[in-house]
Amino acid sequence: MESTHITQDQADEYAIGSLDPEAEPIVLYHMGICSECRSRVQAAERVAAALALGLRGHKPPRGLKQRILVNVGIARPHPLMRAFRWSRAVAGIAAVFVAVAAFTGMLSVRGQIHSLRDQNAHLSTQVEDALSTRVELVAQAQRLTDEENASQELRQTAKAFQDLTLAFLSPESSVADVISKEEAAGAQGRLVWDPDQSKLWFVARGLTPRKVGETYQIWVNSGGKWYSLGTFNSDASGFARYDTVLPQGLKTYESAVVTIERAGGAPERSGPSLFVADLSAIRK
Amino acid sequence: MAWRSNPDSPAFRTITGQVELVLPVGGTYEDRAAWTDEALMAAIVAQDPFAFAALYDRYADLVYATTLRVLADAQLAEDATQDVFVRLWRRPHTFIAERGRFISWLMSVSRNRAVDELRSRGRRRRREGPGLEAPDEQASLLIPDEREDPQHSVEVREEQVLVRRALRDLPAEQRLALEMAYFGGLTQLEISVTLCEPLGTIKTRVRLGMQKLRRALEDQR
């Protein structure tokens, strides 16, 4: 093709756009080097353009001219369009501000969240410390309560011994010897009757502590019937001290015994007797 | 002649109801309306906005009709028309007056731009269909009545009358082949496949059609 000129048919096909795509670059190349063929193709293009020229004119849409003139920069946009663009620009700027504000707010909130988390952790530590302190205080309060109870118990014991001492010293009180039975061999006991304090004491030593499920129970006989005065136990050293108020309503006391009964006391005496006391000499 | 537009100038003048053009010193739109195409293009090379507006008013309908004929889509045709005129303003030197008349160049540019768009969108098949299904409609487009488009110059109107008469005298099958090639962007092989005609027949129709059209235009001139 480079060495041959473009035929009229090729020029026509090229001008009308129906030339084989493979032949098109060859035609273009030859047009670049051959002015005669270039003129032939251009003449064919003018004929082909007549096809378009033969079309009935079609009025373009309204606004196209304005759009084109604005596009090439030789006309101002229509006021409404300018207003629209301004509003769009303002909206865009506003959107940017909103986005920045939102981002800033997000950062601020994030910082506040971190701060609150730190505060929360600090408060949690303080709460834990407070709880530990509270536990210690409760423990100390419990210890104080225990000590107070122990002190109270000691005061009661001291009071009891003081009362017992007063009972021994009182001229109105009576002391009954207690006879140990075989089950309480080696043990010694006394029964103190004090009308001034309206109380009686039973004191013993060498008395074996009862095993679990058993207790000592003291009884008094009046008119041939036994009345329980209560239960007690001895300590590890074998010492026992029991006091109770004088039984009301009983006119006479013949004797008293200490028996071994089940824990909590028995309604009727059933266990073996350890001590026996004669109460006939006691003044009523 | 070397007028320069100045968009920031306060001296605006309304040419139409919507357009505000910068008023160059020493000239008006009405002056350009009487100029030849080539004179307007020379002024556009010097960035004369009034010349550009005058050229648009003169040929926008033909450019739009061409792109609409190729693309068969009003929105696409509008965009293509805009591209043609924007390109004309920004690269007016691509038109060389010595190579031919402006109207032929403008029609070629419009057609090529529309065909490029058509091919890029792969809508060739869409264009083939209506061409066969509605030949009468196509004929009416190619062979319109001989009413003149009043906005065109006398020279262009005379040219249109000659072209329409020449097209009317073409055999229908030759006119259809030319139309499918020019407005449909089809190669001769594609036309033969579309019309179920031998390739040689299509080549003959295109050749004869172009020959007759050329001869008719030369004779009538």
Side-chain angles (χ1 to χ4, degrees), chain A residues 46-63:
Chain A
R46 287 192 292 273
V47 174
L51 292 169
L53 194 59
L55 292 173
R56 186 190 306 133
H58 200 295
K59 192 174 182 179
R62 293 186 62 181

Side-chain angles (χ1 to χ4, degrees), chain A residues 118-215:
Chain A
D118 293 340
Q119 292 180 7
N120 186 40
H122 183 63
L123 288 174
S124 297
T125 303
Q126 288 183 335
V127 168
E128 290 178 358
D129 292 343
L131 287 174
S132 300
T133 303
R134 182 173 180 271
V135 169
E136 290 180 0
L137 289 174
V138 169
Q140 288 183 355
Q142 186 62 44
R143 282 196 295 273
L144 287 175
T145 302
D146 293 343
E147 289 176 358
E148 186 176 355
N149 291 337
S151 176
Q152 180 68 20
E153 189 175 348
L154 287 175
R155 282 197 300 272
Q156 289 177 351
T157 302
K159 179 67 168 54
F161 278 107
Q162 183 182 18
D163 292 343
L164 180 58
T165 303
L166 290 175
F168 274 115
L169 294 176
S170 173
E172 298 296 328
S173 63
S174 301
V175 178
D177 293 333
V178 177
I179 301 171
S180 301
K181 305 288 284 187
E182 292 181 356
E183 288 77 0
Q188 293 179 335
R190 292 286 185 274
L191 190 64
V192 181
W193 203 277
D194 184 4
D196 293 339
Q197 300 184 58
S198 298
K199 293 176 66 176
L200 69 84
W201 284 264
F202 175 76
V203 185
R205 67 176 182 180
L207 194 61
T208 305
R210 300 319 310 169
K211 58 184 179 183
V212 178
E214 290 182 345
T215 185

Side-chain angles (χ1 to χ4, degrees), chain A residues 11-27:
Chain A
D12 288 343
E13 291 174 2
Y14 176 81
I16 205 169
S18 64
L19 186 65
D20 187 348
E22 296 176 356
E24 188 168 319
I26 300 173
V27 171

Side-chain angles (χ1 to χ4, degrees), chain B residues 90-173:
Chain B
R90 291 177 179 165
R91 295 193 296 172
H93 54 275
T94 55
F95 167 68
I96 300 174
E98 290 75 16
R99 291 183 181 174
R101 299 176 59 230
F102 171 77
I103 183 62
S104 299
W105 175 81
L106 183 62
M107 291 299 99
S108 295
V109 170
S110 303
R111 177 264 177 190
N112 293 338
R113 171 66 187 84
V115 169
D116 289 343
E117 177 66 20
L118 185 69
R119 287 172 174 163
S120 68
R121 290 178 175 272
R123 302 177 63 176
R124 185 175 302 176
R125 292 299 170 193
R126 178 181 169 184
R127 291 295 310 136
E128 292 169 3
L132 296 177
E133 294 169 0
D136 294 340
E137 181 182 353
Q138 291 189 356
S140 67
L141 289 171
L142 269 180
I143 311 174
D145 58 46
E146 296 191 4
R147 288 178 299 180
E148 296 177 343
D149 296 322
Q151 73 274 22
H152 298 161
S153 65
V154 174
E155 184 183 9
V156 172
R157 289 201 298 269
E158 290 176 353
E159 179 83 8
Q160 287 182 301
V161 170
L162 292 176
V163 168
R164 289 167 183 168
R165 190 170 299 161
L167 290 172
R168 188 184 57 191
D169 292 340
L170 281 180
E173 67 274 10

